[in-house]
């Protein structure tokens, strides 16, 4: 004899009763409880998926970049695509030094500018995001766009002056090519363009960089050519320097390069982008709060009605010697079981919700992967389920304590 | 000498009522209302001693206080005045928690409407008190099966209450009341929902349950009362005869 057997037995009674109610077709209120939790969890998983999508899309570079050197005043969210703010200077020289470092695989400055590009072939003119980089000829990606087609190095920039060979090479992302109607070999122009600085499409990259609002139209060029086009040649500026290394031992050296800069690791970037980018966090918190409130109200109300209709059972148990504590355990167990069922259904619906959101976004906005599913959402749903069940148990337990045996059975 | 005899009788008794009065306030009292509610005396100065092995009937017309007395004897209620002692424990002043424990350990209750849980099997219903006792599953099954056999339902162990006749359901309820081997078995109108033949069988089962325990049956039915060893007759809340 012991508490373990008692609680196991009570759990069995709770499961048996719920199953019996459903079997006999008397589980309408219970089904509404399950449905209420399922809807709440579905909303949370779907909206949480959107929040995760927003957060994960803040990552700017390909997977082969290990460190970002950014000006100290920048936040993670502004690292992504911000074209205004503090910048790093003397970036060609610093990058050249980094590339000579034995433990640095590749380093490039990244200058980001929004530039109006004209495509004479399609007679189109649009503003696109232009990234200036120093490619190494390898298969690298910046903002999802491959730099492999660009001539390695930065030929226009020689010995601190902008009078080297002008390549005019542009790699366009698919969204940019689509927007401007570009094909490989097409010429491009900028307003007030110098006749010696013509541009042409060297390649169209299949990758793209998505934000919550959809894929950005991006083109990648040599850094010095972007500096020249935008008149940003003073101080050799860039928004950040990307460094791919073979060892974390170089981090202190990277930190020493600029007195007022931050060196962020890939994981640090992800953490920072989630914690400092307020929109995804706000969306996720709102989803959790809504799920807890809606789920709790549903379950508490329905379990209250259920218990009111089933007071006789509690009165009988009380009459045959069940303590209030045992009756409360029964009620809490039933509430938890219903909540768990609702959560499982809600997770399944939520996965469907994410797929539906993405399908809808693709169809109506031409955007891919607005929402993403991550196992963390299952964990969050489990946590929310516990909160719902705990909060929703209070009212039924209170009702249990108020059940008067003589009033019900007398 | 007479006092000594009474003292001995009390010591032997499994249930004792001493000058028990129970009053109720009619209507629900509200803390916001100044309206006074009439007080109803359901039972007045009733004294009874019931010994193990006795088969006692409680008789009386509706509103005579039969159910009130049963509730007090079962520890479901406490007296307004006087004292009820159940298996050596005075119920007055006990918390509901402690009275529940007292009922679990010493009292079995059979209701007119059976009150079985419809979702679980006959065996599960019989085993319910053992769950609260903290008895392991296999022992519960064993004991419940044995009790169902004792009331002639060995072939109905897995049936749900909805699949049983009224008489069978009442026998399951009796088995549930007996499963903890209580000193007192209390039945409130146990044959009220049954036909005469089935009712007689139920009374046989109850009589067979006396052994060393007191069986107390409240009933309107004189045929049921005729089977008892002793009848307590109530009228307007007062004990008018005991014998």
């Amino acid at each position: 004899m012991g508490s373990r057997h008692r609680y196991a037995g009570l759990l069995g009674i709770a499961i048996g009763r719920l199953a019996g109610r459903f079997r006999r077709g008397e589980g309408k209120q219970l089904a509404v409880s399950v449905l209420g939790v399922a809807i709440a969890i579905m909303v949370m998983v779907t909206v949480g998926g959107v929040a995760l999508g927003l957060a994960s899309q803040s990552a700017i570079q390909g997977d082969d970049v290990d460190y970002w050197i950014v000006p100290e005043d920048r936040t993670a969210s502004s690292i992504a695509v911000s074209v205004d703010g503090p910048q790093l200077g003397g970036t060609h020289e610093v990058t050249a030094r980094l590339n000579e470092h034995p433990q640095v695989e590749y380093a490039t400055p990244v200058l980001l500018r929004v530039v109006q590009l004209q495509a004479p072939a399609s007679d189109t003119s649009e503003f696109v995001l232009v990234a200036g980089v120093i490619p190494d000829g390898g298969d690298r990606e910046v903002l999802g766009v491959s730099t492999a087609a660009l001539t390695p190095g930065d030929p226009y920039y020689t010995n601190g002056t902008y009078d080297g060979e002008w390549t005019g090479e542009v790699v366009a992302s698919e969204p940019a090519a689509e927007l401007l109607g570009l094909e490989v070999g097409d010429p491009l122009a900028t307003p007030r363009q110098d006749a010696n600085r013509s541009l042409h499409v060297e390649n169209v990259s299949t990758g793209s960089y998505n934000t919550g609002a959809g894929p950005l139209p991006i083109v990648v060029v040599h850094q010095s050519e972007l500096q020249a086009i935008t008149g940003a040649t003073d101080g050799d500026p860039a928004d950040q320097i990307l460094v791919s290394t073979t060892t974390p031992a170089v981090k202190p050296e990277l930190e020493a390069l600029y007195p007022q800069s931050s060196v962020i690791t890939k994981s640090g970037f992800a953490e920072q982008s989630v914690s400092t980018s307020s929109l995804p966090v706000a969306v996720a918190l709102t989803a959790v709060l809504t799920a807890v409130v809606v789920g709790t109200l549903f379950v508490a109300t329905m379990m209250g009605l259920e218990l009111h209709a089933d007071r006789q059972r509690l009165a009988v148990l009380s009459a045959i010697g069940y303590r209030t504590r045992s009756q409360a355990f029964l009620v809490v167990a039933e509430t938890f079981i219903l909540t768990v069922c609702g959560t499982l259904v809600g997770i399944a619906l939520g996965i469907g919700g994410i797929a539906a959101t993405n399908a809808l976004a693709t169809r109506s906005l031409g955007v891919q992967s607005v929402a993403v599913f991550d196992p963390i959402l299952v964990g969050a749903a489990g946590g929310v389920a516990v909160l719902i069940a705990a909060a929703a148990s209070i009212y039924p337990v209170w009702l249990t304590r108020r059940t008067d045996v003589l009033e019900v059975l007398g | 000498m007479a006092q000594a005899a009474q003292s001995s009788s009390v010591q032997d008794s499994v249930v004792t009522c001493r000058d028990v009065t129970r009053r109720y306030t009619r209507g629900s009292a509200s803390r916001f209302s100044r309206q006074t509610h009439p007080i109803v005396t359901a039972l007045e100065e009733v004294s009874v001693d019931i010994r193990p092995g006795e088969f006692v009937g409680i008789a009386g017309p509706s509103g005579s206080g039969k159910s009130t007395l049963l509730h007090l004897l079962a520890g479901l209620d406490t007296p307004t005045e006087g004292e009820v002692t159940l298996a050596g424990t005075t119920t007055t002043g006990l918390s509901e928690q402690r009275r529940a424990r007292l009922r679990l350990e010493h009292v079995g209750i059979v209701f007119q409407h059976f009150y079985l849980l419809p979702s679980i099997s006959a065996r599960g219903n019989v085993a319910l008190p053992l769950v609260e006792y903290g008895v392991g599953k296999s022992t519960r099954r064993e004991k419940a099966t044995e009790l169902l056999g004792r009331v002639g339902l060995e072939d109905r162990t897995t049936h749900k209450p909805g699949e049983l006749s009224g008489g069978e359901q009442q026998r399951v309820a009796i088995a549930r009341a007996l499963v903890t081997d209580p000193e007192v078995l209390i039945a409130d109108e146990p044959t009220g929902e049954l036909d005469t033949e089935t009712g007689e069988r139920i009374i046989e089962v109850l009589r067979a349950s006396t052994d060393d325990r007191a069986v107390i049956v409240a009933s309107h039915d004189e045929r049921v009362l005729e089977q008892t060893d002793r009848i307590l007759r109530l009228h307007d809340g007062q004990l008018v005869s005991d014998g």
Side-chain angles (χ1 to χ4, degrees), chain B residues 12 17 24 29-30 36 41 54 72 77 80 100 108 118 137 140 167 190 241:
Chain B
D12 292 344
C17 285
Y24 295 105
S30 163
T36 53
T41 303
E54 273 195 301
L72 290 168
D77 197 5
T80 314
K137 192 176 179 179
R140 287 202 308 261
S241 75

Side-chain angles (χ1 to χ4, degrees), chain B residues 15-69:
Chain B
V15 188
T16 308
C17 285
R18 279 285 159 268
D19 302 322
V20 166
T21 296
R22 183 66 174 102
R23 296 191 192 93
Y24 295 105
T25 305
R26 183 168 284 167
S28 57
S30 163
R31 74 179 68 172
F32 303 110
S33 168
R34 288 185 179 180
Q35 189 186 343
T36 53
H37 297 277
I39 292 172
V40 176
T41 303
L43 213 59
E44 195 167 9
E45 292 186 0
V46 172
S47 294
V48 175
D49 293 320
I50 298 170
R51 284 176 292 278
E54 273 195 301
F55 189 18
V56 180
I58 301 179
S62 294
S64 60
K66 294 194 301 294
S67 294
T68 303
L69 181 58

Side-chain angles (χ1 to χ4, degrees), chain B residues 4 28 51 53 57 84 88 111 171 175 181 222 229 238:
Chain B
S28 57
R51 284 176 292 278
V84 175
F111 302 96
R171 278 189 278 164
D181 199 16
E222 284 300 327
D229 305 328
Q238 292 183 320

